[in-house]
Amino acid sequence: MSFKHRLFNCAIVGALFLSLISSSVGAFQTEKFNITADMRAAMDSISANSLRGHLSFIASDLLEGRNTPSRGLDIAAEYIAAQFRRAGLEPAGDDGYFQTANWKTMEPNLEGFELNIQHDKETISVDEGRVSISLDKALDLANAVAVKVDFNDNAALAAMTEEQMAGKVVLTEMPDARRADQTQRTQIFRAQNEFFLKMNTLKVALVISIDRTGQPVAVASRMIDPENTSPPRRTTTWPMITVHDGRAARMFNAMKPGATAAIVSLHLAAPAEKPLKLRNVIGILRGSDPQLKDTCVLITAHYDHIGVRADAPGDNIFNGANDDGSGTVSVIELASALSSLKQKPRRSIVFMTFFGEEKGLLGSRYYGRHPVFPIEKTVANINLEQVGRTDSTEGPQLANASMTGFDFSDVGLIFKAAGELTGINVYKHERNSDAFFSRSDNQALADQGVPAHTLCVAFVYADYHGAGDHWDKIDYENMAKVNRCVMLALVMIAENPQPPKWNEANPRTARYVKAWKQRHGQ
Ligand SMILES: [Zn+2]
């Protein structure tokens, strides 16, 4: 991709009037933008070393990949809050800078656990230390009849009837998707999902999977959002007990497929519920204009990643330096730079980092339901993802950044204009720009009607969701430059009395336009 590289002339002091490309989508005009000396100094304060310092902590092994929920995630939240405090942002949560989601976790409860499998005059009692439970309710079975099923035998599965299977225990041997490599994992998950849907329609009591490779895998506790009334996603709550026990494997080998003479008894207590606090981190830089300060621009990133995989060989900490430590420390750096302005922008700027993006936009959806700044007064959301690494699988992305949903609203062209002034080529990625729109937290704000986009430097890179996403692979000079572009775009939006608008001419924006109109009583 070609781009024009325009350096800042730092020697120029005083107000600069730069004619920008005429970018008028809807009502938004950015024809002349005044970069003051104050703004230039603030932009110059954004430094590669500062970003490197923050990210080397956020993505350190100590934080164990910032899984949601985890202690590493909580430490990251505390660090971000400390940096917002240092920048002098106004706290905007219910607990200082923290917006607290009071959720619960549900963990398997092995108290009084008993699992007996009887076959051919032999009975084995499976120890609680040799099982992995993915069943989120209590279950008692007394002498349930077992059926041996080949998980891959589609013909046999298709032939099964509810009459034959209801209330029975299915014994099978299921591959552990978490041990498979990434290319196979999706396929295994899909096959398992189909299998469980089938078992569900047959009303089987329980699936027992025999694992001969050995060790129980710690089952992540399940998070419960008390506000979420929709049923849990089936893929996270397969009613299955995996048995890691050589005796059970031998017994399984001795059985013929189909109806067996095996009998299963089980006592499993109801899962234990524990309170869980999850946190978005939010600070405000108040606007300077008496009217416009009641409106805001939202700059966001997710501070969680995918944690540790106990079963991964070698380095098993998924540090998520680029995804999305890079966005997180950019929000911190932008808070610091924008706070240093002597003349604050006219609109308020809200800085926020979300929990739980990797688990399905949890933090941003929570914010969408509990906005601290009214949604109808939130004029835009700029979300930052993967802005640190330039080594995209598509080749180097120096001084290049793409906006998702580039032509869904005015925001793409505002960023393009800001990029012209800061040496960043902000472009529409022909394939990914629209396809990635739904893949980050901007989607949660867009669903509320707010023009919301994600800025990204490398959509895909070698260590994406890999253990090797380390902080020393980031191009910090480039990232600082991207941050200066973001800062300028934020100021452009915050200074302009005309808020960005969804592009109604693009049919893909229909649902967002509808949400926007509802919010604005239209
Ligand atoms: Zn991400």
Side-chain angles (χ1 to χ4, degrees), residues 302 304-305 322-325 357-358 383-386 439-441 461 464-465:
H302 70 90
D304 69 306
H305 193 60
N322 198 35
D323 181 13
D324 187 22
E357 189 270 354
E358 301 286 0
N383 185 55
L384 304 176
E385 274 263 19
Q386 300 175 191
R439 287 185 52 174
S440 192
D441 291 307
Y461 54 102
Y464 173 75
H465 281 204

Side-chain angles (χ1 to χ4, degrees), residues 111-330:
E111 211 176 298
F113 178 83
E114 261 182 69
L115 172 60
N116 297 315
I117 308 173
Q118 186 194 330
H119 179 249
D120 204 14
K121 292 180 191 135
E122 186 193 359
T123 302
I124 57 169
S125 287
V126 180
D127 187 82
E128 63 180 51
R130 308 229 52 93
V131 293
S132 307
I133 313 277
S134 51
L135 179 65
D136 56 12
K137 58 173 190 176
L139 187 61
D140 277 288
L141 298 173
N143 301 321
V145 174
V147 181
K148 178 171 173 173
V149 174
D150 180 349
F151 150 78
N152 275 318
D153 188 345
N154 289 327
L157 288 173
M160 288 176 181
T161 65
E162 186 183 331
E163 207 173 24
Q164 296 167 335
M165 301 297 291
K168 293 187 178 156
V169 172
V170 164
L171 296 175
T172 191
E173 190 170 8
M174 189 98 62
D176 188 336
R178 290 167 300 192
R179 292 200 186 107
D181 67 47
Q182 214 157 350
T183 49
Q184 289 180 323
R185 211 175 293 157
T186 319
Q187 203 187 334
I188 294 173
F189 271 127
R190 195 173 299 135
Q192 288 184 343
N193 205 31
E194 271 168 34
F195 176 75
F196 279 106
L197 285 172
K198 177 76 180 170
M199 294 303 111
N200 200 36
T201 59
L202 296 174
K203 298 197 166 55
V204 306
L206 175 69
V207 174
I208 293 180
S209 178
I210 305 295
D211 172 36
R212 33 189 105 232
T213 59
Q215 296 304 311
V217 178
V219 176
S221 58
R222 200 160 77 76
M223 284 179 285
I224 300 171
D225 171 3
E227 293 172 355
N228 184 1
T229 50
S230 59
R233 284 189 299 172
R234 209 182 300 278
T235 49
T236 60
T237 55
W238 293 324
M240 176 166 79
I241 296 178
T242 306
V243 174
H244 316 268
D245 186 317
R247 296 172 308 159
R250 275 195 302 279
M251 205 177 242
F252 182 75
N253 289 346
M255 296 174 196
K256 289 199 174 63
T260 67
I263 297 288
V264 173
S265 295
L266 170 77
H267 172 73
L268 177 66
E273 277 191 6
K274 289 181 191 160
L276 169 69
K277 285 187 188 304
L278 292 167
R279 297 174 181 93
N280 290 326
V281 191
I282 318 176
I284 295 182
L285 181 67
R286 282 287 162 196
S288 57
D289 182 275
Q291 269 92 51
L292 290 177
K293 72 176 167 43
D294 292 332
T295 67
C296 80
V297 191
L298 195 55
I299 174 81
T300 59
H302 70 90
Y303 73 98
D304 69 306
H305 193 60
I306 58 174
V308 176
R309 275 179 57 196
D311 51 318
D315 178 7
N316 60 14
I317 301 174
F318 291 65
N319 305 82
N322 198 35
D323 181 13
D324 187 22
S326 67
T328 299
V329 303
S330 296

Side-chain angles (χ1 to χ4, degrees), residues 358-378:
E358 301 286 0
K359 295 274 164 78
L361 317 185
L362 301 181
S364 52
R365 295 259 184 237
Y366 183 87
Y367 182 82
R369 297 195 303 272
H370 305 278
V372 299
F373 217 97
I375 289 286
E376 60 277 13
K377 304 256 180 177
T378 304

Side-chain angles (χ1 to χ4, degrees), residues 10 90 99 162 187 206 262 308 319 370 382 413 418 487 505 516:
C10 294
E90 194 179 306
Q99 177 185 44
E162 186 183 331
Q187 203 187 334
L206 175 69
V308 176
N319 305 82
H370 305 278
I382 311 307
L413 286 184
M487 177 184 151
W516 187 94

